[in-house]
Amino acid sequence: MHYIPHTARERRQMLAALGLDSTDQLFQDIPRELLFNGELRVEGGWSEMELAGHLSGLARMNSGTDELVCFLGAGAYDHYIPSAVKHVLSRSEFYTAYTPYQPEISQGVLQSIFEYQSMICLLTGMDVANASMYDGASALAEGALMACAATKRDAVVVARTVHPEYREVLRTYMFGPGVAVKEVPFRDGVTPVEEVIQQLDKNTAALLVQYPNFFGSMEDLNGLAEAAHAVGALLVVCADPIALGLLQAPGSCGADIVVGEGQSLGIPLSYGGPHLGFLACKEKLMRRMPGRIVGQTVDVEGRRSFVLTLQAREQHIRREKATSNICSNQALCALAATVYLSLVGREGLRRVAELCLQKIAYAKKLLSGVSGCRLPWHSPTFKEFVVKTGPSPREVNRRLLQQGILGGLDLEPYYPELAGHMLICVTEKRTRQEIESLAERLGAMS
């Protein structure tokens, strides 16, 4: 079966329009020694059954969190996903979700986005949330751009305790507009307010921090907010949504913009994506938000209905007036988060957060007593913590993997001063036996 739709006559017409005699001329700029000349060695076609067996064999060469005990986090987490989430996402109404431009035929999708926005506002303590972003990193960068536009300033200060890859994305976004990015060092796993004050000035648009931070430690949001607001800057907080089921909402601590990665809310790891970014802010900043917002209204018969209320992106309004060129939200992933939060509810989310907190405390207690292991600092942590190991983290992870355990993140590539340290993650899925097994195996390596 041929999969090229164009007939020979149509191909000749296109070549004639280009002033070419053959398709080979389309590739004439490629050096001849790099061009393949001959017949591709492709086996004959397979039946569906044969192909399914082959793909299953390839899949078995990978190992995921279904086969391994996972203590790796660092921005993507192995949380339990209720089976109902997948069933709802698989419904045809949502499976190919796209921008619902026609509200008269898109009320279901629009309502799901509206409910998502409402839940994000409840979690973050903000007034308004948009329909979603690509991921946590781009949401943080967009939050910084919002702050620059709102304050008409061209510098941001970011804590080094923010995810290192998020900071790389931030620098990429800030390069084009020429926004200066300054970093604040950490001490004992957190960002000292006095260090922040030294970096802030009248040209600072925003202070960017993570809550809990990359090391799992709790930042002093109230103190950081006070420092930022003292110079007229905004506080942008990158938050873990699971932690917000237990911790005080950033909005009540002085945050102006709250962003984050929503993968923990019912979205599988999927080898890195697609994931979900969320972004929420105070009402006064609403018109600076990227993407779109779904609002609630009534139709001509007075019935509750939903419409796209705000679309401040460049394909809808003049480019110079647009807030962003983001061209699509993560509607299906946002729906997954909405279904997850609906299923677990307020108390269920709090229980998940409590389990993470209790299990990380147990893991810290065990590992601090293992010969060769040491906790570099003792600040309160939520779902992750840093531990210094006897053997190198690379060697530790190699041995753990041989025993069916996915170890923590080696911090040296991101923080050279933390060579020999690794970031351990413990979610509600980890059992007492699995945590004790990790401690036992680390002890055997010392």
Side-chain angles (χ1 to χ4, degrees), residues 76-156:
Y77 300 101
D78 181 28
H79 286 286
Y80 180 73
I81 302 175
S83 61
V85 174
K86 183 178 180 180
H87 288 290
V88 174
L89 292 186
S90 299
R91 290 184 61 88
S92 59
E93 303 99 302
F94 301 119
Y95 202 63
T96 55
Y98 187 61
T99 304
Y101 288 117
Q102 297 174 273
E104 64 274 14
I105 60 171
S106 305
Q107 285 300 292
V109 172
L110 285 166
Q111 182 174 355
S112 71
I113 296 175
F114 180 82
E115 300 295 351
Y116 161 80
Q117 294 171 177
S118 302
M119 291 176 180
I120 293 299
C121 286
L122 286 172
L123 279 175
T124 60
M126 292 284 99
D127 299 320
V128 59
N130 74 358
S132 70
M133 307 291 290
Y134 295 132
D135 53 27
S138 60
L140 179 68
E142 292 280 5
L145 289 176
M146 279 180 63
C148 291
T151 60
K152 295 180 172 59
R153 298 177 178 183
D154 59 1
V156 297

Side-chain angles (χ1 to χ4, degrees), residues 5 34 44 50 74 84 92 144 163 189 268 329 350 388:
L34 298 179
E50 291 171 323
S92 59
H163 195 303
N329 63 14
R350 181 181 180 87
K388 180 172 176 55

Side-chain angles (χ1 to χ4, degrees), residues 131-264:
S132 70
M133 307 291 290
Y134 295 132
D135 53 27
S138 60
L140 179 68
E142 292 280 5
L145 289 176
M146 279 180 63
C148 291
T151 60
K152 295 180 172 59
R153 298 177 178 183
D154 59 1
V156 297
V157 174
V158 59
R160 284 194 73 226
T161 54
V162 171
H163 195 303
E165 292 178 348
Y166 287 23
R167 287 186 279 121
E168 285 297 316
V169 172
L170 174 70
R171 292 189 193 94
T172 300
Y173 269 66
M174 299 301 107
F175 176 79
V179 177
V181 179
K182 296 186 288 185
E183 293 192 346
V184 183
F186 61 87
R187 185 168 63 242
D188 295 329
V190 295
T191 306
V193 175
E194 59 271 21
E195 293 280 355
V196 170
I197 293 173
Q198 293 179 17
Q199 297 284 354
L200 296 171
D201 56 39
K202 295 297 183 181
N203 194 44
T204 303
L207 170 63
L208 287 71
V209 298
Q210 192 167 349
Y211 176 72
N213 67 28
F214 184 66
F215 304 132
S217 301
M218 301 299 154
E219 300 281 13
D220 177 13
L221 287 193
N222 288 292
L224 295 169
E226 185 177 344
H229 295 158
V231 297
L234 303 182
L235 178 64
V236 181
V237 176
C238 183
D240 180 338
I242 296 293
L244 297 183
L246 186 62
L247 302 179
Q248 191 173 4
S252 62
C253 298
D256 301 287
I257 301 170
V258 182
V259 302
E261 172 58 63
Q263 176 271 326
S264 297

